[in-house]
């Protein structure tokens, strides 16, 4: 009798195991984006600051990437999930950062209890911005010119535990970072969004603390509204840095733009408080053609300098989709810096023109 019961139990376990494996999936995804860009006032020194620069760029609208998604349906509304994502410079084939995997996390997802993920992943500020009031309806931001993502404090954190839950039109996230390894910065943050029909509203906060207890605090709040072919967005972001957080400022303020020719001077990275307003719209003229216009205004105070510095940015994009996977884009942007902040060649203004091809798979 005991042997018979054991056989039945083993048979059931084998059946569940086979069922779980049968419902597992591993999918490969990616984006390849290569463009050309022309930028004014891009000389390498103050004496040559008026020189222009023409270059092939590794992604005008999107950073090229190759990723792997893993899902295993374990029954009862429970899934195991995992992600690995590599970012690359599509013009040279090199990787974009020191870490090979820009995302690397594993977790559990329950239909009733939400999702828990552990590893290197997007932070709550980046999540609420891109999911709720992104700059453009068809593409969250312009990869080569994205002042807004600077306010998301690097966008990703390592050693993170993140919990996501949804109830009707509401979504909430909490994140906590252990603070370990080569960059021992502890993180704690959360976000809440509401999205129903044409309206989406959201807010997020994030705190980063170094080993000396010094803090960086970030917040963002905003909304978006869709009216037929028109999409409008409006948002506000703020970053505050304690004195002495130079390493964190270098990591989390970065530059207003990410073009290789758009690095800021030392004053640009000396931030006590930085505020940024953003507003814009996308208009879908046809099934294939989208037009977008976005503007940003920022001001910041300094720890080591008196007075405030200011910056204004505007970008216009036309995107034409040949298919669901392949599109071409044309982009124009303008930057104007004031106060102590300038580009690293002392220029205060810059015009950029980009065009490229993007393919998603």
């Amino acid at each position: 009798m005991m042997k018979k019961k054991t056989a039945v139990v083993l048979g059931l376990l084998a059946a569940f195991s086979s069922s779980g494996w049968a419902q597992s999936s591993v999918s490969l995804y990616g984006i390849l984006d290569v463009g050309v860009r022309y930028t004014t006032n891009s000389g390498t020194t103050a004496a040559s600051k008026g020189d222009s620069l023409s270059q092939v760029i590794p992604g005008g609208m999107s950073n090229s990437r190759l990723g792997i998604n893993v899902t295993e349906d374990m029954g009862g509304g429970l899934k195991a999930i995992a992600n690995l994502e590599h970012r690359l410079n599509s013009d040279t084939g090199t990787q974009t950062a020191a870490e090979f995997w820009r995302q690397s996390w594993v977790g559990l997802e329950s239909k009733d209890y939400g999702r828990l993920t552990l590893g290197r992943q997007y932070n709550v500020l980046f999540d609420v911005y891109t999911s709720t009031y992104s700059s453009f309806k068809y593409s969250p931001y312009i990869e080569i010119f994205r002042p807004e993502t600077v306010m998301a404090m690097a966008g990703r954190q390592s050693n993170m535990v993140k919990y996501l839950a949804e109830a009707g039109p509401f979504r909430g996230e909490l994140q906590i970072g252990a603070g370990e390894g080569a960059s021992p910065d502890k993180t704690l943050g959360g976000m809440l969004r509401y999205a129903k029909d044409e309206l989406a509203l959201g807010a997020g906060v994030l705190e980063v603390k170094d080993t000396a207890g010094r803090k960086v605090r970030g917040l963002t709040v905003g909304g978006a509204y869709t009216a037929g072919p028109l999409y409008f967005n409006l948002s506000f972001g703020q970053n505050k840095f304690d004195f002495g957080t130079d390493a964190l400022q270098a990591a989390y303020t970065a530059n207003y733009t990410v073009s290789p020719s758009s690095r800021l001077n030392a004053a640009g990275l000396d931030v006590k408080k930085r505020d940024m307003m953003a507003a814009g719209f996308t208009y879908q003229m046809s099934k294939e053609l989208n037009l977008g216009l976005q503007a940003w205004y920022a001001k910041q105070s300094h720890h080591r300098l008196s007075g405030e510095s200011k910056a204004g940015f505007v970008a216009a994009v036309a995107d034409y989709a040949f298919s669901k996977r392949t599109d071409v884009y044309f982009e124009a942007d303008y930057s104007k810096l004031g106060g102590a902040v300038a580009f690293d060649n002392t220029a205060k203004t810059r015009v950029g023109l980009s065009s490229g091809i993007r393919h998603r798979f």
Side-chain angles (χ1 to χ4, degrees), residues 9 42 76 110 117 124 137 182 199 222 249 255 260 301 328 348 359:
V9 171
S42 296
S110 167
T117 51
V124 293
K137 181 69 171 178
L199 181 66
Q249 289 182 55
N255 294 280
S301 57
V328 295
K348 289 284 192 174
H359 179 77

Side-chain angles (χ1 to χ4, degrees), residues 78-226:
L78 184 64
K79 294 180 181 180
I81 53 176
N83 174 262
L84 290 170
E85 187 176 278
H86 171 66
R87 298 294 180 102
L88 64 144
N89 296 313
S90 51
D91 58 335
T92 62
T94 57
Q95 63 191 63
T96 61
E99 66 273 12
F100 185 86
W101 296 113
R102 297 290 275 163
Q103 287 198 88
S104 54
W105 52 261
V106 64
L108 293 173
E109 184 175 81
S110 167
K111 184 174 66 175
D112 298 320
Y113 301 108
R115 185 172 77 173
L116 181 69
T117 51
L118 300 88
R120 178 172 176 80
Q121 51 197 307
Y122 288 115
N123 67 31
V124 293
L125 297 183
F126 189 87
D127 282 349
V128 70
Y129 165 71
T130 54
S131 68
T132 312
Y133 40 87
S134 59
S135 293
F136 301 95
K137 181 69 171 178
Y138 57 88
S139 189
Y141 50 81
I142 305 169
E143 175 63 27
I144 201 66
F145 190 84
R146 47 186 176 97
E148 65 274 49
T149 63
V150 172
M151 307 304 291
M153 295 167 61
R156 307 174 188 86
Q157 266 91 42
S158 300
N159 309 308
M160 185 201 298
V161 178
K162 184 164 67 174
Y163 174 72
L164 179 153
E166 291 184 296
F170 293 95
R171 174 188 294 177
E173 289 184 4
L174 294 172
Q175 79 166 73
I176 184 169
E180 55 187 88
S183 301
D185 307 319
K186 295 183 178 180
T187 65
L188 179 65
M191 76 86 158
L192 181 66
R193 73 182 291 259
Y194 170 88
K196 187 175 182 181
D197 301 325
E198 298 88 0
L199 181 66
L201 301 170
V205 293
L206 179 63
E207 179 181 277
V208 180
K209 185 188 299 184
D210 68 11
T211 52
R214 295 168 297 204
K215 298 177 181 178
V216 180
R217 303 168 186 86
L219 70 87
T220 179
V221 60
Y225 183 78
T226 302

